[in-house]
Amino acid sequence: MNKLLVITVLVALLALSAESFRMPRQAEEDQGTLTKITDAVKTYYTDAVNTVSGYVDSVKGLQLEEKAKTLYTDTTNVMSTYAGILQDQLYHIFYHN
């Protein structure tokens, strides 16, 4: 719900700051309040996207996927060893001579 509200506000700001093709363009110095707000929101959005991209790249740099695969392989090796020991113990319990 909050995301929808934020998107609606952003679209409304962009729609209000859009100029009609019949009106002459304003100079860069004569920006309206909505244009300034829209530019600020765009800047914050771009900065947020760049920050998140940096975080994603740093997480990829940690090679977590390879570490998880190694942990899984080591765990299955250990568990198969203990499962074999348990199987031998159960065999000797049930088929004791």
Side-chain angles (χ1 to χ4, degrees), residues 71-85:
L71 179 65
Y72 174 76
T73 305
D74 293 344
T75 304
T76 53
N77 288 338
V78 169
M79 290 305 294
S80 64
T81 302
Y82 285 116
I85 293 171

Side-chain angles (χ1 to χ4, degrees), residues 16-19 24-43:
L16 291 174
S17 66
E19 296 178 354
R25 281 195 144 182
Q26 293 177 344
E28 289 294 323
E29 303 84 46
D30 298 336
Q31 288 183 344
T33 305
L34 290 176
T35 306
K36 290 179 183 177
I37 292 172
T38 305
D39 290 342
V41 169
K42 287 179 185 177
T43 303

